[in-house]
Amino acid sequence: MQPPKSILLHLDGSARTVERIRLARQLAETFEAEVTAQPCTLSALMRYPYAIEAAAEAVAIMQEIDKDARDRMHATFMEHSAGSPRLHWAEAQSDGPWGFGRRALYADLLILGQRDRNDPMDGELPGDFLPSVLVQSGRPALVLPYAGPIGPIGRNVLVAWKETRESARAVSASLPWLRKAERVDVVAYGEGANESLQSLQAYLRMQGVDDVRLHPGGDKDDDVGNKLLSLASDLSSDLLVMGCYGHSRAREWVMGGATLSMLQWMTLPVLMSH
């Protein structure tokens, strides 16, 4: 895969928006990419639907809340984009989170944030925003954890491999980082893990990634999410690459076990692809 040239950055009112902007600026410089920064939150009327039945003055107050939130996000973007000509502000789509998912179809890479239920701004987005964007857009996404410092990523990369299309797409999306990495580790779990890792190693060599260290995780593929986070910590990995597994059922998103664990407990940036 070629380096990403079109990056879509999600902005909201959470404290971690600043980290996402800084990372977007770094990637824009590294890959000579253009970044579209789009604010995306639920409107106050959607968060407080009772106001629709209230007096017109209450509705006006809700609209003013939205304007203030938009202005704060714009000020944050202007401050931390540091005047980069590669970062561009885009007004929010009229249909909120669903409009963001539609714009994602035209991006090579998304930059999103892990949900933090303790953040006062958590209610700005529907609870299924992250999995719905990942699954519906089918675009690779860098998801940043809601805690801890975010330094340069891609020096030490851990690839979670599984012989599936989701995992293959994630590996393809990660090639711009793998080719530049100082260290690349790949791990697989379950029956045939060692053989599949050797096949992946041969593929990566053809892609210009020569030094790949294999970690067969054994025949058991249970509790993969926690195993990955533990291994990433042991290896001092700064980026985890993995497939994203999930589907919609009865208007709810059902995510795979490792995917769900990672979305809840990630401790490092994760490059995911559905």
Side-chain angles (χ1 to χ4, degrees):
M1 179 179 176
Q2 296 299 314
K5 295 301 181 183
S6 173
I7 299 174
L8 179 60
L9 167 65
H10 175 235
L11 303 178
D12 58 21
S14 68
R16 296 294 279 183
T17 289
V18 172
E19 296 293 343
R20 297 200 295 272
I21 297 172
R22 290 173 176 167
L23 176 62
R25 192 175 73 242
Q26 294 172 11
L27 296 182
E29 295 168 356
T30 299
F31 297 126
E32 298 183 349
E34 300 295 318
V35 176
T36 299
Q38 180 175 318
C40 177
T41 60
L42 291 171
S43 68
L45 284 173
M46 294 185 71
R47 284 180 282 155
Y48 311 108
Y50 59 82
I52 297 176
E53 301 177 359
E57 291 81 359
V59 175
I61 291 173
M62 297 295 105
Q63 293 172 339
E64 189 65 26
I65 290 174
D66 290 339
K67 181 181 182 302
D68 289 345
R70 181 266 184 203
D71 291 345
R72 287 194 300 271
M73 283 184 277
H74 185 262
T76 300
F77 171 75
M78 295 302 293
E79 177 182 357
H80 296 283
S81 60
S84 171
R86 294 190 176 276
L87 271 65
H88 314 283
W89 170 271
E91 290 295 339
Q93 299 283 352
S94 59
D95 47 355
W98 301 273
F100 185 90
R102 186 169 62 252
R103 190 188 287 269
L105 298 173
Y106 302 97
D108 296 326
L109 178 70
L110 314 179
I111 299 180
L112 307 172
Q114 179 192 23
R115 183 180 184 186
D116 180 5
R117 296 179 184 273
N118 294 319
D119 191 293
M121 298 295 103
D122 179 60
E124 285 188 333
L125 288 170
D128 64 350
F129 173 74
L130 185 53
S132 67
V133 170
L134 288 168
V135 175
Q136 289 186 319
S137 73
R139 310 307 291 166
L142 264 173
V143 185
L144 304 192
Y146 65 69
I150 305 296
I153 67 171
R155 292 176 179 172
N156 297 327
V157 184
L158 174 61
V159 177
W161 177 244
K162 189 176 183 179
E163 290 184 325
T164 64
R165 64 179 184 178
E166 291 86 353
S167 189
R169 287 174 177 172
V171 169
S172 293
S174 72
L175 286 174
W177 285 273
L178 298 182
R179 293 180 180 125
K180 294 175 176 288
E182 297 175 4
R183 172 171 176 158
V184 176
D185 295 273
V186 295
V187 60
Y189 302 95
E191 186 177 351
N194 190 54
E195 292 80 1
S196 69
L197 286 177
Q198 292 177 3
S199 296
L200 178 61
Q201 183 181 49
Y203 168 77
L204 291 176
R205 283 174 179 165
M206 289 187 287
Q207 299 296 326
V209 186
D210 296 322
D211 186 13
V212 178
R213 306 180 189 192
L214 309 185
H215 299 268
D219 294 336
K220 295 184 178 180
D221 59 359
D222 58 324
D223 199 22
V224 170
N226 285 327
K227 290 177 180 177
L228 287 174
L229 291 175
S230 178
L231 181 59
S233 177
D234 292 343
L235 297 173
S236 299
S237 304
D238 55 41
L239 177 64
L240 173 64
V241 177
M242 63 180 291
C244 171
Y245 303 90
H247 63 277
S248 178
R249 185 177 67 191
R251 297 184 180 181
E252 292 185 0
W253 291 103
V254 180
M255 308 306 291
T259 302
L260 183 60
S261 294
M262 203 57 58
L263 293 179
Q264 292 177 334
W265 308 112
M266 66 175 63
T267 54
L268 74 166
V270 182
L271 179 63
M272 309 182 87
S273 186
H274 178 63

